[in-house]
Amino acid sequence: MAEFWRRPGAARSAVHHVLSAIFITIYGYSVCNFINGLAVSAWVATLLPVLVGQWGLRCIVAEHVSRRPAEMRPKLAFAGELSAFIAGGAVIGIINTVLHGFPAGSGLKAMLGFVTIGVFAGVDQAFVQTRIRFEEGGMPSFSGKPRSPFAVRLGLSFSLVAALIIGVITLLVLRGIEDGTVNDAEGFRRLAIEFAFVFAIITCYVANSARGVEKLLATAVSEQVQTLGDAREGRARRRARIGTRDEIGFVSAEINYLLDELDRAHDMTTRTNDAIIKALIGLAGARDNETGAHLQRTQRYVGTLCSQLAQHPEFSAVLTPSAIADIVSAAPLHDIGKVAVSDAILHKPGRLTPEEYEVMKTHVSHGLAVIDKVIADVGVTPFLAVARDVIAGHHEHWNGAGYPFGLKGAEIPLAGRVMALADVYDALRSERIYKPAMPHAEARKILVDGAGSQFDPQVVAAFLMAEPQFERIATQFADSGPDSVANAA
C-alpha cells in the first residue's frame, strides 16, 4: 500500500477524487439543495461506493499507463483520469435521478461537475507524467513541425473550460426559468450563489493548471538555458532533455541538433590539428635528439597537471575541458623551434658551451615565429593561442630569471608554467649521453626546491598531488629505442 502511494501522481489524484465528493456534497446540501432531503447516511451510502469504484477504476488505468512508453503516458494519464470521473459522475447522476427521484437537471449537473473536475485532474496527471519524462531523460530528438503545438493545446484547453462553464451556466439558467426562480429575489440570490460557487471551484482549478504549465515551461527553458550555458563555457557535452513535442520541445531539439553539428565540426578541427601537429613533430623529430616517448610523456604530464589544477578555485574557470584539451594537444609543439637550430648544436654528444647554449635558446623565438605566421594567416584560435603560450612560456622562470622575455610570476602564461615543470621533470627522469636517468625521488626534490624560483608554487603543489600518475607515466612510456620519434610522429 505504501508503495502505491509513492507512485507519481497518486496522492494528487486522491486529492482530486476526495474534493469531487466534498464539492458535490456542499453543492447538494448548501448551494443547490437537491440532496438536502436525504439523510446523511443515505447520501454517504450513495456517494462512498461510487467514490471507491471511481478510485479503483483510476488505479487500474494508472497501472496500465505506468507500463506504457514514456512518450504516451501524459495523454493516457489524462484520458484515464477523465474516464474515471466521467464514470463516477454518470453513476451519481443516474442514482440521483432514478433511485432518489431528483430532477434530471440535477443529475446532469452532478455529472457535468464530475466531468469538469475530471478534466482538470486529468491535466494535472498529464503534467505529472511529463515531469517524469523530463526526469527520465526526455524523449528522442525530432525534426520537422511540432506534432502537438503548444498554442493549439492551450487554445483547446481554454475552449474546453469555456464550454464547461457555459454548460453549467446554461443548466442553472434553464432550471431557474423552469421553476420561475429567476423572477424571485430569493431565487435569484440562490442562483447567484450557485454561480459564485461554480466559478470559485473552476478558478482554483484553472490556477492549479496554470501553475502546472508554468512549472513545465520553467523546466524546459531551464534545460535550454543550462545546455547553451554549458556549451558556451566548454563543459560536458550535455543535451537539452525534451519533454514535449510542441514548440518548446522543438526549440530543444534544434539546440541539440546545432550542438551535434558543432561537435562534429569540433571533432573535424581536432583531427586536423592533430594531423598538423604530427606533421610538425615529425619534422622536428627528424632533426632533434629527443625521443617520441619524451613527447608522449610530457603531453601526459601536462594533462595530469591541468586536471589537478582545474580542481583549484583559482583555475577552475580557466581550465575548462576544452581548454585542457587544447593545452594537451599543443604540448608536443613546445620545442618546434629547434628545427631552426644547427645540427652541430642540436646533435652535439655532450653538454653545450655557453655560446652554444645561447644559440639553443633561440629555439623559442623561432617557434614563436612559426606560430605567429600561422596566426597572421588564419587569425588567432584558442588552440593557436595556447600553442603560443606553451612555446613562449616553457623556459620562463617564476622569479623572472628565465628566457626569452624574462617574465615573472603570473605574467607567464599558465600553459607555459605547466609545460615548464613537465619538461624539466621528464628531462631529469630521462637518460642522455651526458647523464644517467634520475630517480623520481631526486627529481621530486629538485622540483620542490624550485618552487617559487623556477616553478609556479601552485603547479608544484599540483605535481605533488599527482605524483603516482607521474611515476606511472614515466614507467609506461619509457624510452624504447631510436625509432620512437618516428613512431610518435
Side-chain angles (χ1 to χ4, degrees), residues 174-236:
L174 288 177
R175 193 208 67 187
I177 293 174
E178 183 179 329
D179 59 21
T181 55
V182 290
N183 298 320
D184 177 74
E186 179 61 20
F188 187 81
R189 186 186 69 82
R190 297 198 64 81
L191 188 61
I193 292 175
E194 286 192 62
F195 281 149
F197 182 80
V198 170
F199 278 125
I201 292 174
I202 291 179
T203 299
C204 290
Y205 272 106
V206 168
N208 181 66
S209 297
R211 178 63 175 163
V213 171
E214 184 270 333
K215 286 184 178 179
L216 284 182
L217 289 177
T219 300
V221 173
S222 176
E223 276 290 308
Q224 296 167 5
V225 171
Q226 188 173 348
T227 300
L228 291 173
D230 286 355
R232 181 184 60 194
E233 296 176 11
R235 290 201 291 266

Side-chain angles (χ1 to χ4, degrees), residues 210-265:
R211 178 63 175 163
V213 171
E214 184 270 333
K215 286 184 178 179
L216 284 182
L217 289 177
T219 300
V221 173
S222 176
E223 276 290 308
Q224 296 167 5
V225 171
Q226 188 173 348
T227 300
L228 291 173
D230 286 355
R232 181 184 60 194
E233 296 176 11
R235 290 201 291 266
R237 294 181 176 182
R238 62 164 287 161
R239 293 294 180 265
R241 291 175 292 181
I242 301 172
T244 57
R245 290 191 177 274
D246 53 18
E247 296 89 337
I248 306 300
F250 179 73
V251 171
S252 296
E254 287 297 290
I255 289 174
N256 292 344
Y257 172 77
L258 291 175
L259 291 178
D260 288 341
E261 290 298 306
L262 285 174
D263 278 351
R264 280 190 280 271

Side-chain angles (χ1 to χ4, degrees), residues 85-95 111 114:
F85 274 91
I86 290 175
V91 173
I92 283 288
I94 292 171
I95 290 176
M111 180 177 178
F114 269 68

